[in-house]
Amino acid sequence: MSRKQIIIGLFGFGCVGKGLWDVLEQTPGLRANIRSICVKDHNKQRPISLDHFTFDKNDILNNQEINIVVELIDDSEAAYEIVSTAMRNGKGVVSANKKMIAEHLEELLVLQKECDVPFLYEAACCASIPIIRNLEEYYDNDLLVSLEGIVNGSTNYILTRTSEDNLSYEAALKLAMEKGYAESNPALDVEGYDAKFKLTLLLAHAFGIVEKPDAIYNLGIQRLGALELRLASEKGYKIKLMAHAQRLGKNNVAAFVIPQFVNGASRFYNVDDVFNGVQTETSFADKQFFMGKGAGAFPTASAVLSDISALSYDYRYEYKKMAQQSFDLTDKFSLEVFVRFENREDVPTSDFISIAEKYRSKEGYYIVGRIRFDKLRSSAWAGNPAVSILLTPDSSEEICEVSCSTNDCKCSQSIM
Ligand code: HSE
């Protein structure tokens, strides 16, 4: 198959943009070069000649020779504007902007069709792990049962450094920012929003579900306190921020982002630092595991490069799952959770289906128990910043669809 010559208009020259420049320099086999780079800041020192830059987006968007726009800027609304205009102007697009894609997925799907242009975004999800392409090509059947993963590099880096080096949360976050792992607004990382944006993309390719990120529940790592960190170390657990998507019943999928205690038997236990890991489970093949660097200039640029290379062969996503069985997100399932709180009345035990453990000390209270997800999601206490909620180590194996009559709840994991 012959490869198309790719002439790139690049938006953004931050950590990933510069990384892409360097990676392309070292990939002469790819028939791709950057014609122009659009940046915002006139006064910033640039590591390459100013001749490569423009400050006017139309220099790229209206340039007939440029056939691919690579969008690597921070501002998600400006990015949407650029990406949609590029598509309307007949250009293929590569983007790493998970927030923009997650928030505008529906419109972007329509635009791709209307404009008949490819739009690839492997770098937006787990950076160096080729998970979207695998979901598209290998898991394009209805056998996928679940997908779970550490999909945010910064939080994993922070959790690793605080537990292994005894760094403070603030110091670890500062390091994650210095290394170019964190978002420019790191609240998106630590509060679980970045992981949720990625889960939104994964749901589209894994199960054909197109939902706004608001439909997905997310908790982050910012509420973790000394008690649960100590408990994790005493029990030989680690804490990881996990994204979950699991089929339940015939047409339902449970999806959420919640931190979790992970034990040594889990493959996620050794996914540390800036690494991400994704585990898929299918009906007949059991579990498969992907691991790779989830943030940073070169891991992200390598995924962008792979998309550019794929475009040189005219590759495009087919979103096969959307044409197959239709799945909906469900809130009707239960989870086993650990909940730590300050005052006895903060968390009513009557909200739980069952309680496995209760603990009280000078540091506060905790409960381990099974709770209906819809109850957790709607309860005021779960939104209290002083309440910390984690999944227990076996929770992912035991997500089950619940049907309740008064207090009698039945739990089923069947997907038929
Ligand atoms: N802030 C993101 C992360 C960057 O830490 O995973 C890569 O998407």
Side-chain angles (χ1 to χ4, degrees), residues 16 96 98 123-127 151-157 176 180-184 186 188-189 194-195 198 274 276 294-296 300:
V16 181
K98 50 267 156 133
C125 201
C126 303
V151 299
N152 179 271
S154 307
T155 45
N156 208 34
Y157 179 82
Y181 300 157
E183 299 301 300
S184 56
L188 294 175
D189 295 295
D194 180 80
K198 291 164 179 166
V274 74
N276 283 185
T300 313

Side-chain angles (χ1 to χ4, degrees), residues 239-293:
I239 297 175
K240 304 285 178 192
L241 183 64
M242 301 292 302
H244 288 271
Q246 161 139 7
R247 269 184 73 176
L248 287 174
K250 202 167 163 24
N251 298 100
N252 290 328
V253 172
F256 51 87
V257 173
I258 301 182
Q260 182 165 8
F261 289 111
V262 166
N263 64 27
S266 162
R267 290 191 174 101
F268 292 107
Y269 188 84
N270 290 318
V271 179
D272 286 329
D273 283 305
V274 74
F275 281 85
N276 283 185
V278 179
Q279 180 164 274
T280 54
E281 184 174 5
T282 67
S283 295
F284 299 106
D286 207 339
K287 290 179 178 161
Q288 289 148 323
F289 195 76
F290 301 80
M291 182 171 161
K293 284 193 172 164

